[in-house]
């Protein structure tokens, strides 16, 4: 069993592999998005990690690194498939270790949560079941051979990490990514050896653990990030999670970090709802960690999420509820959080919570404001990582509107920048006809893979009646009903829509042929007649889509990023 004889935050922790962590504070994984165009770590990553290297942590976990360059989770992911980025990886590891901490590379495959505009080919998953977000394309089911190949990709990446000088790796088995997808009965409905009961659903994870151990030396660290649950009805439950911990306890694993949620039920992001007892103890998943303490046997447990005071952290470790305390957002605002606790005697770590200047009466009438604030809060903290990567200090006074602009640039315009420059030379890359073709393909890709999923994401976040909904038109060629996600601004007599790509969009061509439509308004479908309003001021119209006038500028920026030749569409209801 891990040392539990009155341990403190300063007590070293010896892992099952023999690796010794100098203290019980862990800088948890934070997705940086700071890779270069080739998927390697650029100069901003060592610059950022030099701040954490001197932060007083015992263990530093990197942001998730992809094992397959064809499937990326977000713009700026580092990819490790072979040794092509070895020099950059080595600089990253060495810079982080200079302060005495151990550094582990977090390895991940996004599966069906891959960003379709960044990857190559269809997304993949255990089963051909998409996330429950309208407009996001369903994945392709992996074959048995492909599953084995992905297992080896994890092992190869771990071997490269060891060669580069990292002290270990962490398998990302949480938050709805591929390992988590195999574990969940909602996303894994296979009937072969990779699906069914939890023993088969855990096979993918166990094979990855064994393949990594076979590819690295005995003293190399190996950790796992695991959901306590995915908080979805019929999904990966706490009982399933405890069963996985029991299976993992028989493997050569050094540390299990407890988390929870997925992008469909994001308990790990925003502002989770917690009980009063959890709030008093601060850590979101500490109660669950206590229930698996004995099951985990000799494997130490880390808990991340919610810790802010030195007392709560010290108590959690001293009482044996967890062996390490993970710090995420506090390590962004205060990269030296470990030293503040150990050397400066800090009792409370600084943290920032982003809010919008919205009157209480408006907030009460628009419940989605809190959700929007949670999303902006995440992006605000990402801004701070990018500032430190640029050699700047965190800016605690950074205004929200700047975050909205930078987030749009990161996840909108920048996602296409490398693809724009990728086509050159030959018949496919020159001449006015090819430029028009590239423009058309870009607009189509934006519509399918950015605009539609963006509206669908808004729908998932609870903005169905005020911003995101579904529109039914009649196919001009097929005569069949076509349903797409759209952004809509409703009023008493109808709704306004924005066609991001003008009259060339398929659904606008459909309504020109047959203007009769159906549109979902709250909990019911309304019928009406649609008309393209070419003389309408689209820029002004986009501002009316905001849930509150104070957010009009943010809404306009988002629309402007996604559109090419927009036009307003007016729907007039004709039902009672």
């Amino acid at each position: 069993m891990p040392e539990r004889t009155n341990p403190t935050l300063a007590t070293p922790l010896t892992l099952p592999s023999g690796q010794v962590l100098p203290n019980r504070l862990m800088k948890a994984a934070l997705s940086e998005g700071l890779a270069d165009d080739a998927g390697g770590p650029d100069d901003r990553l060592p610059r950022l990690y030099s701040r954490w290297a001197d932060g007083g942590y015992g263990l530093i976990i990197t942001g998730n690194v992809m094992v397959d360059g064809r499937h990326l989770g977000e713009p700026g992911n580092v990819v490790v498939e072979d040794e092509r980025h070895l020099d950059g990886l080595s600089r990253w590891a060495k810079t982080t270790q200079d302060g005495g901490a151990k550094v582990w590379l977090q390895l991940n495959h996004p599966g069906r949560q891959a960003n379709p505009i960044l990857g190559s080919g269809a997304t993949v998953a255990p089963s051909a079941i998409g996330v429950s977000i309208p407009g996001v394309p369903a994945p392709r089911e992996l074959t048995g051979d492909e599953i084995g190949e992905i297992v080896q990709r994890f092992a190869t990446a771990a071997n490269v990490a060891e060669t580069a000088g990292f002290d270990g790796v962490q398998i990302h088995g949480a938050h709805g990514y591929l390992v988590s997808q195999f574990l969940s009965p909602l996303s894994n409905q296979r009937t072969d050896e990779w699906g069914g009961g939890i023993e088969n659903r855990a096979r993918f994870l166990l094979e990855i653990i064994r393949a990594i151990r076979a590819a690295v030396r005995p003293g190399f660290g190996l950790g796992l990030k695991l959901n306590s649950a995915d908080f979805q009805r019929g999904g990966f439950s706490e009982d399933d999670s405890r069963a996985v911990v029991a299976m993992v306890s028989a493997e050569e694993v050094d540390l299990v970090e407890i988390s929870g949620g997925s992008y469909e039920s994001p308990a790990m992001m925003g502002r989770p709802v917690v009980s009063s007892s959890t709030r008093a103890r601060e850590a979101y998943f500490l109660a669950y960690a206590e229930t698996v303490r004995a099951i985990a046997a000799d494997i130490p447990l880390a808990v991340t999420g919610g810790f802010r005071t030195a007392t709560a952290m010290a108590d959690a470790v001293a009482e044996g509820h967890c062996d390490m305390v993970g710090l995420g957002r506090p390590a962004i605002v205060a990269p030296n959080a470990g030293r503040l606790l150990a050397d400066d005697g800090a009792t409370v770590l600084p943290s920032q919570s982003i809010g919008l200047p919205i009157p209480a009466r408006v907030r009460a009438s628009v419940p989605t404001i809190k959700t929007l604030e949670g999303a902006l809060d995440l992006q605000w903290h990402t801004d701070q990582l990018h500032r430190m990567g640029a050699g700047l200090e965190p800016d605690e006074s950074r205004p929200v509107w700047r975050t909205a602009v930078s987030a749009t640039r990161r996840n909108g315009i920048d996602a296409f920048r490398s693809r724009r420059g990728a086509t050159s030379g030959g018949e496919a890359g020159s001449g006015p006809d090819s430029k028009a073709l590239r423009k058309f393909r870009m607009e189509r890709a934006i519509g399918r893979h950015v605009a539609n999923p963006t509206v669908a994401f808004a729908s998932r976040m609870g903005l169905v009646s005020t911003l995101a909904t579904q529109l039914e038109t009649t196919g001009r060629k097929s005569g069949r009903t076509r349903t797409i996600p759209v952004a809509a601004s409703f009023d008493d007599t109808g709704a306004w829509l924005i066609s991001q790509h003008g009259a060339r969009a398929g659904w606008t061509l459909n309504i020109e042929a047959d203007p009769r439509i159906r549109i979902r308004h709250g909990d019911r479908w309304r019928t009406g007649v649609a008309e393209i309003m070419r003389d309408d001021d689209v820029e002004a119209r986009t501002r009316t889509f905001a849930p509150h006038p104070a957010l009009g500028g943010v809404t306009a920026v988002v629309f402007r990023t996604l559109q090419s030749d927009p036009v307003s569409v007016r729907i007039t209801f004709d039902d009672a």
Side-chain angles (χ1 to χ4, degrees), residues 44 49 141 227 290 312 386 454 517 559:
R44 294 173 294 174
Y49 275 75
E141 180 173 302
N227 273 0
E290 295 172 25
H386 284 230
T454 297
I517 58 87
F559 273 89

Side-chain angles (χ1 to χ4, degrees), residues 55 62 97 144 153-154 158 177 231 249 297 311 334 341 349 370 475 546 573:
T62 73
Q97 293 162 336
R153 281 181 175 273
F154 276 89
Y177 292 114
F231 304 105
S249 69
T311 298
L341 294 169
L349 290 179
K370 185 176 181 181
F573 295 145

Side-chain angles (χ1 to χ4, degrees), residues 118-377:
L118 300 174
S120 173
T123 57
V124 296
S127 301
I129 301 171
V131 293
S132 56
I133 305 173
V136 177
R140 176 178 60 78
E141 180 173 302
L142 288 163
T143 67
D145 288 343
E146 287 174 325
I147 294 171
E149 189 248 342
I150 293 174
V151 169
Q152 289 306 309
R153 281 181 175 273
F154 276 89
T156 297
N159 180 263
V160 173
E162 180 182 25
T163 302
F166 286 90
D167 300 293
V169 295
Q170 182 189 63
I171 301 166
H172 199 331
H175 300 175
Y177 292 114
L178 186 60
V179 173
S180 182
Q181 290 161 31
F182 268 92
L183 292 173
S184 171
L186 291 180
S187 51
N188 182 357
Q189 297 183 11
R190 303 177 71 98
T191 57
D192 59 8
E193 69 270 26
W194 303 101
I198 187 59
E199 294 79 9
N200 277 2
R201 285 184 275 123
R203 188 185 304 276
F204 180 62
L205 168 60
L206 297 177
E207 290 298 323
I208 290 173
I209 292 171
R210 294 161 187 164
I212 289 176
R213 270 291 168 226
V216 298
R217 59 182 170 79
F220 190 70
L222 175 55
L224 167 65
K225 188 166 192 169
L226 181 69
N227 273 0
S228 62
D230 60 19
F231 304 105
Q232 291 179 277
R233 186 182 299 276
F236 185 70
S237 66
E238 288 194 0
D239 287 341
D240 283 341
S241 185
R242 280 186 279 270
V244 172
V245 171
M247 287 182 266
V248 167
S249 69
E251 305 293 331
E252 298 178 69
V253 173
D254 284 307
L255 183 69
V256 173
E257 179 188 357
I258 303 300
S259 189
S262 69
Y263 285 111
E264 293 175 279
S265 180
M268 78 291 186
M269 60 175 59
R271 301 162 190 190
V273 177
V274 297
S275 66
S276 58
S277 60
T278 296
R279 189 177 299 110
R281 302 175 70 198
E282 297 185 8
Y284 305 146
F285 306 108
L286 191 60
Y288 167 81
E290 295 172 25
T291 70
V292 297
R293 178 63 278 169
I295 299 173
D298 292 335
I299 300 178
L301 297 179
V303 174
T304 302
F307 282 116
R308 294 295 182 269
T309 68
T311 298
M313 299 178 208
D315 288 349
V317 171
E319 294 170 9
H321 301 316
C322 66
D323 302 289
M324 294 207 75
V325 169
L327 299 176
R329 295 187 186 190
I332 298 175
V333 178
N336 62 335
R339 296 208 181 281
L340 289 177
L341 294 169
D343 300 339
D344 297 347
T347 58
V348 180
L349 290 179
S351 62
Q352 194 80 359
S353 182
I354 304 306
L356 295 170
I358 296 174
R361 61 181 179 80
V362 176
R363 186 180 295 274
S365 63
V366 186
T368 53
I369 290 297
K370 185 176 181 181
T371 301
L372 177 59
E373 286 178 324
L376 286 172
D377 189 86

